[in-house]
Amino acid sequence: MKDISSTLTRGLTARHIRFIALGSAIGTGLFYGSAEAIKKAGPSVLLAYLIGGAVIFIVLRALGEMAVRNPVSGSFGEYASQHIGPLAGFLTGWTYVFEMVIVLLADTTAFGVYMGFWYPDVPRWIWVLAIVFFIGAINLLNVKVFGELEFWFSLVKVVAIIAMIAGGIAVLIWGFGIHDTSSGLSNLNAGGGFFANGTGGFLGCFAIVMFAFGGSEIIGVTAGEAEDPERTIPRAINTVPARIMLFYILTLAVIMAVTPWNQIGDEGSPFVQIFDSLGLSSAATVLNIVVITAALSAINSNIFGAGRMMYGMALRGQAPAVMRRVSGNGVPWMTVVIMVSALLVGVVLNYLIPDRVFVVIASIATFATVFVWLMILLSHFRSRKQLSAAETAELKFPVPFWPYLPIAAIAGLAFVILLLAFDADTRVALVVGAVWLVLLTAAFRLWVRPAPQPVPAALTEPAPEIALP
């Protein structure tokens, strides 16, 4: 192994980064969470996804501006430390790791459920244990191997979604004896109209919608290992939000145009229903292959993102120094080991409470996701305020319509957090999130020695260590 002051390897191309971001953001939230969002809001869920897509685009543009100007490992955790303060960076970095761990627990649990389709007699925890170790081993390989694997995982999902969109549109145009073509898109306004469940249903779906877009911020984390950050980061950011909006909005619009929205969820996944509409006899098997690939992709990219965040925090003295250890092929191996160890909790939960574990885990992640996005926007806002006019003019990837778009996004995300308090299903996430932030603040005050100097761009200097009790 290399010494703890060793650096990461820059080996991710623009192709890798685009699909890593897609892999993290298109997964369980789309394939299963979308059915719950449709049930809450009806056809107006399309407007909610459009608004959510616009917000995440602003967040990514703010993150991209900072990442192009200062591409470091640790990304938005480092930016929060630089522009707001060490406590803000500590809260942001560890909350992102917390978010990734919670999402990973949900995804590994989902993988166990998917495998149960073919092997119903095998206990779910065995599949969870197997996938944790498999993906952990992948993340210990050279970063280019990880990037290639994630590219192919994500490509399967993208091709499957495009096939569903094309098939649904074909059903709408030609009918094939399973759809009345004269009805057109009338299903989008049937069953109570576009806002079928009123304003309350429309607002209630935002927690699910914002969770579904969570993970896109991994683009910033990849900057520390991008071969050409000034070129690859802007390209990835400018294409991924549009693709996410296309995959979510167009896919769900086609599904609800073919199948009345109030029937979705009663007969299974909306994606299964599209396959059934096409008369594909092996619909369930095809869907299972796709969702397994989606789960593998999300687990893979989220272990990567959380590990790199912990590595960057260790360099700033906000995590134990052992997390700075880098292998001979440029991988922070100790952070991967730590993530795999954390995911073993999921194995235990799937052994103890297999029927309730997914709901228990998934209900917590929205708060962490929205909090991280808010800190990215606030860090960007402060960074802009600290720049001179000349430095602002030299920005290579500035946020458009500054400061109006970032302010609008901050207000929107604050409103989403407020909405969590008014829904019994999401209130627990608000409580857990508040307790988490209080505990982190106490840990920072007790154990972390704030570093007086920012981490240099090269990230080669060892940082102060945590004074563990």
Side-chain angles (χ1 to χ4, degrees), residues 92-430:
T92 302
W94 281 111
T95 300
Y96 175 73
V97 173
F98 176 70
E99 172 197 348
M100 291 297 99
V101 169
I102 296 300
V103 172
L104 281 165
L105 290 176
D107 285 330
T108 53
T109 299
F111 177 81
V113 174
Y114 302 153
M115 293 303 295
F117 172 79
W118 289 313
Y119 305 99
D121 297 328
V122 178
R124 187 190 304 170
W125 67 268
I126 292 178
W127 296 116
V128 175
L129 183 65
I131 197 59
V132 165
F133 282 117
F134 173 72
I135 296 296
I138 293 298
N139 273 264
L140 289 174
L141 301 176
N142 185 281
V143 70
K144 285 188 175 181
V145 177
F146 160 79
E148 279 298 317
L149 186 64
E150 186 56 30
F151 169 77
W152 290 107
F153 277 160
S154 297
L155 187 61
V156 170
K157 292 190 293 187
V158 171
V159 170
I161 293 171
I162 291 174
M164 286 185 240
I165 292 173
I169 292 175
V171 170
L172 289 172
I173 295 174
W174 291 292
F176 300 118
I178 54 178
H179 177 75
D180 182 7
T181 56
S182 64
S183 64
L185 303 177
S186 61
N187 280 339
L188 292 177
N189 201 42
F194 189 72
F195 289 91
N197 290 332
T199 304
F202 174 68
L203 295 177
C205 79
F206 269 92
I208 302 170
V209 168
M210 302 313 288
F211 168 72
F213 286 121
S216 301
E217 65 274 12
I218 198 175
I219 289 179
V221 180
T222 63
E225 292 166 271
E227 291 180 345
D228 184 5
E230 291 186 5
R231 180 177 63 88
T232 56
I233 297 300
R235 284 187 178 182
I237 288 174
N238 283 335
T239 57
V240 170
R243 292 183 183 186
I244 291 176
M245 292 170 67
L246 169 70
F247 295 146
Y248 277 88
I249 296 170
L250 185 54
T251 301
L252 297 182
V254 169
I255 287 174
M256 287 187 289
V258 173
T259 305
W261 72 269
N262 49 14
Q263 295 180 23
I264 292 174
D266 295 333
E267 301 173 9
S269 165
F271 292 88
V272 171
Q273 292 180 30
I274 278 291
F275 279 126
D276 287 339
S277 297
L278 293 173
L280 187 61
S281 59
S282 57
T285 298
V286 172
L287 175 68
N288 215 45
I289 292 172
V290 172
V291 295
I292 283 174
T293 305
L296 289 172
S297 173
I299 295 166
N300 194 36
S301 58
N302 290 339
I303 286 180
F304 171 89
R308 267 48 174 189
M309 179 61 70
M310 287 189 286
Y311 171 80
M313 292 180 69
L315 290 171
R316 297 194 302 276
Q318 295 181 345
V322 69
M323 294 184 183
R324 297 202 302 259
R325 294 188 180 275
V326 177
S327 66
N329 55 7
V331 172
W333 63 273
M334 182 54 70
T335 65
V336 175
V337 172
I338 291 169
M339 286 299 297
V340 169
S341 300
L343 290 179
L344 292 179
V345 174
V347 179
V348 176
L349 291 175
N350 275 277
Y351 176 75
L352 296 176
I353 49 172
D355 295 331
R356 296 185 291 114
V357 61
F358 188 84
V359 175
V360 171
I361 292 169
S363 64
I364 301 173
T366 299
F367 177 89
T369 300
V370 174
F371 177 84
V372 168
W373 291 351
L374 275 171
M375 296 305 292
I376 290 172
L377 290 168
L378 293 174
S379 300
H380 171 256
F381 202 88
R382 288 293 299 273
S383 73
R384 270 293 190 101
K385 291 290 186 181
Q386 295 165 1
L387 295 180
S388 66
E391 290 173 324
T392 301
E394 292 175 358
L395 289 172
K396 297 180 180 179
F397 192 51
V399 172
F401 302 108
W402 163 266
Y404 306 109
L405 286 185
I407 290 174
I410 290 172
L413 291 176
F415 183 65
V416 170
I417 289 182
L418 183 64
L419 288 175
L420 296 178
F422 293 94
D423 191 319
D425 293 334
T426 58
R427 199 172 296 134
V428 63
L430 194 61

